């Protein structure tokens, strides 16, 4: 295997877990948009709720009219922090607003101090992703007073913001361009001084960032910037979007959209966006998420159909149970392909065997006890699966704690006879260095033998979609994706990451 493609060893810093996947949205209204009755506070709140699946730890919102600024920050979900819209910030005639939600990591970093948007005077900043050379950035700032200390933020975002604010340049855009030349990792930055919004995406386009257009093309009402197109769908007057390009820095102001810089080094968007992170109604890199996830299930069937144990394909009907809601699209694609091959009556999609409690959040991005929360999150209807062989489909396995708890529920409460697992993504074998928090044990790394891994999960057998199959489902080649966490290729590794064969 070429050295560049060899697996890597990456441990988060001992004093701080990686600050990673977040929700983020900004809105800029023109005078025409304000005349049309659009309200940046309502739009920002709506964007935050549309992106809630990405982060559930804390949230912050800022608004400005260019001269006055107001902000609210708090712990918890967007609806909770802003009290269903009753506790949003306010200034009269606000034309810019930004909302950010933080991924609930554990470790030294406290949510309250690290809740964004950050500000230095009238300069505001929000970040999505992860910088891998934070120590270098901190070293450049260590002599500056008021940046590092108790009660202050300690995330990569905070240090990047200070570095940008102190960079050379007459304008906000120049400062951002000059500073990020020295950054490593995956990022999507957004800054505003109340007059202008400037945004940029890392030079490989690992992390997503989109620019949305509101109102008529010849007389725009405004512009929106977010990490998913799902944030735009409910904005009145929304007419379309484009991906901010890898290495691109764009400015939004009274003159509209201006591209300040394009300095790409390639194009390697994260495959995990299609697997898990993006909402089903989203589009990333021109590819719809829902059809891609269904295709992952179809290809999973094609890859494993000849390896199913006889008891799951002969005699009784094959009962396919999706893990709601993430596993449902893949399960639908799997069942459609299986029915075509075996016959409609030989395969059944059982949607009601495992029922989700809608009032419990996504467990992969929750830092509490996943085993206990899984038991609270799902209800089982034993009559549908008792003494049956099940094939359970999910989108991914990272730590394995949730999956093991689900299998346990299906066996002990549902009294299933046999349980197979079909996972519509490759095994997650390495921690992401570019903005997805895979901290904690990775079951595919800890238990590389798939038979032993299935046994640990309580399943009779386990299949994963291949990297080739995932790339095919997305519609890009492996060389056009970042698949490092799956043991595949990706952007060049940052200096802070040590190849396993060189580790002592």
């Amino acid at each position: 295997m070429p050295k560049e493609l060899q697996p890597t060893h990456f441990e988060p810093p001992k004093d701080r877990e990686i600050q990673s996947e977040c929700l983020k949205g900004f809105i800029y209204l023109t005078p025409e948009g304000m005349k049309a009755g659009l309200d940046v506070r309502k739009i920002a709140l709506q964007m935050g709720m549309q992106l809630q699946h990405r982060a559930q730890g804390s949230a912050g919102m800022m608004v400005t009219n260019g001269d006055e600024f107001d902000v609210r920050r708090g712990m918890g979900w967007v609806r909770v922090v802003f009290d269903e819209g009753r506790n949003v910030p306010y200034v009269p005639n606000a034309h810019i607003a930004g909302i950010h939600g933080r991924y609930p990591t554990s470790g030294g970093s406290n949510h309250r101090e690290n809740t964004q948007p950050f500000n230095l005077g009238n300069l505001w900043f929000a970040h999505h992703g992860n910088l891998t050379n934070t120590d270098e950035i901190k070293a450049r700032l260590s002599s500056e007073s008021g940046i590092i200390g108790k009660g202050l933020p300690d995330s990569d975002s905070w240090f990047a913001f200070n570095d940008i604010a102190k960079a050379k340049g007459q304008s906000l855009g120049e400062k951002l361009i000059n500073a990020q030349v020295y950054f490593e990792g995956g990022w999507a930055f957004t800054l505003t001084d109340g007059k202008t919004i400037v945004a940029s995406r890392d030079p490989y386009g690992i992390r997503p960032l989109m620019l949305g257009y509101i109102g008529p093309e010849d007389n725009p009402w405004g512009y929106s910037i977010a990490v998913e197109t799902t944030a735009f769908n409910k904005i009145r007057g929304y007419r379309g979007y484009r991906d901010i390009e890898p290495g691109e820095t764009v400015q939004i102001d009274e003159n509209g959209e201006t591209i300040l810089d394009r300095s790409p080094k390639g194009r390697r968007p994260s495959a995990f966006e299609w697997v898990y992170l993006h909402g089903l109604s989203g589009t990333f890199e021109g590819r719809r998420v829902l059809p891609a996830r269904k295709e992952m299930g179809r290809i999973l069937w094609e890859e494993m159909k000849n390896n199913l144990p006889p008891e799951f394909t002969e005699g009784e009907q094959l009962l396919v149970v999706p893990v709601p809601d993430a596993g449902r699209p893949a399960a639908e694609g799997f069942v459609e392909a299986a029915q075509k091959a075996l016959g409609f009556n030989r395969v059944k999609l059982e949607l009601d065997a495992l029922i989700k409690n809608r009032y419990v959040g996504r467990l992969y991005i929750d830092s509490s006890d996943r085993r206990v929360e899984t038991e609270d999150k799902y209800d089982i209807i034993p009559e549908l699966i008792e003494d049956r062989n099940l094939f359970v489909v999910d989108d991914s396995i990272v730590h394995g704690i949730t999956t093991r708890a689900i299998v346990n529920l299906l066996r002990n409460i549902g009294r299933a006879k046999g349980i197979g697992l079909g996972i519509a993504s490759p095994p997650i074998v390495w921690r992401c260095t570019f903005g997805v928090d895979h901290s904690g044990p990775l079951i595919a790394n800890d238990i590389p033998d798939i038979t032993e891994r299935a046994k640990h999960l309580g399943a009779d057998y386990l299949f994963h979609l291949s990297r080739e199959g995932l790339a095919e489902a997305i519609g890009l080649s492996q060389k056009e994706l970042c698949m490092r966490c799956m043991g595949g290729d990706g952007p060049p590794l940052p200096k802070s990451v040590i190849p396993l064969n060189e580790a002592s």
Side-chain angles (χ1 to χ4, degrees), residues 445-462:
N445 187 301
D446 294 346
I447 310 176
D449 182 84
I450 196 166
T451 302
E452 290 300 313
R453 200 182 319 146
K455 183 178 179 181
H456 175 81
L457 293 169
D460 297 294
Y461 61 93
L462 169 66

Side-chain angles (χ1 to χ4, degrees), residues 41-355:
R41 300 175 305 156
K42 292 180 180 179
I43 293 173
L45 181 65
Q46 189 177 63
M47 293 171 80
M49 290 189 292
Q50 288 292 103
L51 296 173
Q52 183 70 85
H53 57 276
R54 296 187 78 92
Q56 299 173 8
S58 61
M61 183 195 299
M62 62 78 60
V63 299
T64 178
N65 58 17
D67 298 313
E68 302 170 88
F69 298 79
D70 193 16
V71 65
R72 297 284 189 280
R73 301 184 183 97
M75 307 297 293
W77 289 22
V78 170
R79 286 185 181 274
V80 174
V81 172
F82 304 113
D83 192 18
E84 304 284 351
R86 291 182 287 268
N87 185 38
V88 294
Y90 171 79
V91 297
N93 302 314
H95 71 294
I96 291 176
I99 190 165
H100 187 276
R102 189 163 180 268
Y103 186 100
T105 56
S106 59
S109 290
N110 183 281
H111 273 312
R112 195 169 300 280
E113 283 80 10
N114 285 292
T115 301
Q116 301 175 41
F118 293 140
N119 73 292
L120 294 169
N122 288 343
L123 184 59
W124 296 79
F125 173 83
H127 170 215
H128 161 76
N130 179 60
L131 301 183
T132 58
N133 63 333
T134 304
D135 287 344
E136 294 178 15
I137 299 170
K138 284 176 66 174
R140 289 199 295 270
L141 299 166
S142 60
S143 62
E144 302 289 344
S145 62
I147 292 174
I148 302 173
K150 186 176 181 180
L152 289 170
D154 61 356
S155 66
D156 59 341
S157 307
W158 173 248
F159 299 117
F161 179 31
N162 279 272
D163 207 31
I164 293 166
K166 298 177 184 302
K168 293 181 180 179
Q170 297 298 313
S171 68
L172 187 56
E174 289 176 349
K175 287 177 175 290
L176 177 56
I177 292 167
N178 290 334
Q180 64 189 0
V181 169
Y182 302 101
F183 295 165
E184 294 179 355
W187 67 80
F189 294 139
T190 309
L191 298 98
T192 183
D193 58 5
K195 313 291 184 184
T196 297
I197 294 179
V198 179
S200 69
R201 189 177 175 196
D202 67 80
Y204 289 96
I206 307 166
R207 301 268 55 88
L209 194 62
M210 292 84 167
L211 174 61
Y213 302 98
I214 305 167
E217 186 173 357
D218 59 351
N219 194 23
W221 291 356
Y223 304 85
S224 52
I225 295 173
V227 294
E228 283 191 27
T229 60
T230 53
F232 304 149
N233 295 336
K234 293 186 178 180
I235 300 175
R236 183 163 64 89
Y238 168 62
R239 61 177 168 83
Y241 87 101
R242 72 171 181 87
D243 287 294
I244 292 177
E245 295 295 308
E248 179 180 341
T249 301
V250 63
Q251 177 174 297
I252 304 297
D253 59 18
E254 60 185 5
N255 298 313
E257 169 191 357
T258 304
I259 297 173
L260 302 179
D261 181 51
R262 274 189 178 162
S263 300
K265 294 182 179 179
R267 196 180 202 102
R268 305 300 291 264
S270 170
F272 203 62
E273 288 286 342
W274 285 278
V275 168
Y276 180 87
L277 294 169
H278 249 68
L280 288 179
S281 63
T283 302
F284 183 35
E285 294 288 321
R287 287 157 176 82
R288 298 281 293 176
V289 174
L290 179 58
R293 290 190 185 167
K294 285 187 175 182
E295 188 69 358
M296 292 172 202
R298 184 194 69 78
I299 297 172
L300 176 65
W301 163 260
E302 294 297 332
E303 291 184 344
M304 56 162 283
K305 63 184 179 183
N306 295 325
N307 296 307
L308 278 169
E311 62 267 25
F312 284 83
T313 57
E314 298 176 2
E316 68 178 44
Q317 186 183 51
L318 178 62
L319 201 62
V320 179
V321 176
V323 175
D325 291 318
R328 181 166 177 169
E332 290 173 348
F334 181 93
V335 166
E336 289 173 7
Q339 288 177 336
K340 186 176 180 180
L342 301 177
F344 182 81
N345 293 327
R346 290 283 294 108
V347 185
K348 181 182 180 182
L349 179 64
E350 184 52 81
L351 297 175
D352 297 324
L354 191 61
I355 300 174

Side-chain angles (χ1 to χ4, degrees), residues 394-447:
D394 204 357
D395 60 352
S396 59
I397 298 177
V398 179
H399 307 301
I401 302 169
T402 301
T403 305
R404 188 177 183 183
I406 287 172
V407 172
N408 183 63
L409 286 172
L410 292 169
R411 280 202 190 278
N412 294 334
I413 297 179
R415 298 186 290 277
K417 180 169 64 175
I419 298 176
L421 291 173
I423 307 303
S425 66
I428 305 299
V429 293
W430 307 112
R431 292 189 177 94
C432 175
T433 63
F434 299 120
V436 180
D437 186 2
H438 290 150
S439 59
L442 301 178
I443 188 172
N445 187 301
D446 294 346
I447 310 176

